[in-house]
Amino acid sequence: MSLTTKIETPSISYEQPLGLYIDGKWVKGVEGKTFETINPSDEKPIVAVHEAGPEDVDIAVKAARKAFNGVWRTTTPTERGVYLTKLADLFDEHSDTLAAIESLDNGKALSMAKVDVQLSSGCLRYYAGWADKIHGKTIDTDVETFNYTRHEA
């Protein structure tokens, strides 16, 4: 089974990855199981994608820990914000494709899916702005409680 396939939507065609994205690459599930994604407008299958099992999750967690304890740990908060901004830029650059995929996958009108992509880009930009604003604060909620946030490295 190939790890991509061409998908046709009413507005675009694109190459759809079918695998699991683990450790920077698309891979097949260890158990080889797949499941079909269903078009809600006609209840027909769109495509079969690889299904993650417990062993795939373990592999993904190990890869995430390796990344976190490696290069990501030494990435400054400012650089992390830059990466989130770049991701938002990619959302904007590929907004028509992302909206078409979203519309096909969940049956939402394309115009509404475009708004969702814009909101997602905005959310990424919001968090990019906070990436280097790491500090603790007390939070006044009521007289009976003391709440605070604390930076954990």
Side-chain angles (χ1 to χ4, degrees), residues 81-95 98 117 120-122 124-125:
V82 168
Y83 291 141
L84 286 172
T85 299
K86 286 182 181 180
L87 182 57
D89 291 343
L90 288 170
F91 270 54
D92 293 341
E93 181 182 337
H94 299 283
S95 62
L98 292 170
V117 173
S120 297
S121 171
L124 288 167
R125 290 181 197 288

Side-chain angles (χ1 to χ4, degrees), residues 63-126:
R65 279 199 182 108
K66 183 177 109 184
F68 179 76
N69 291 323
V71 68
W72 193 249
R73 182 172 292 266
T74 59
T75 303
T76 67
T78 300
E79 290 173 303
R80 292 176 186 190
V82 168
Y83 291 141
L84 286 172
T85 299
K86 286 182 181 180
L87 182 57
D89 291 343
L90 288 170
F91 270 54
D92 293 341
E93 181 182 337
H94 299 283
S95 62
D96 289 340
T97 301
L98 292 170
I101 294 167
E102 181 74 359
S103 177
L104 178 66
D105 188 51
N106 69 25
K108 185 177 285 193
L110 184 60
S111 60
M112 292 181 72
K114 287 181 179 184
V115 171
D116 286 350
V117 173
Q118 290 171 345
L119 291 172
S120 297
S121 171
C123 182
L124 288 167
R125 290 181 197 288
Y126 173 81

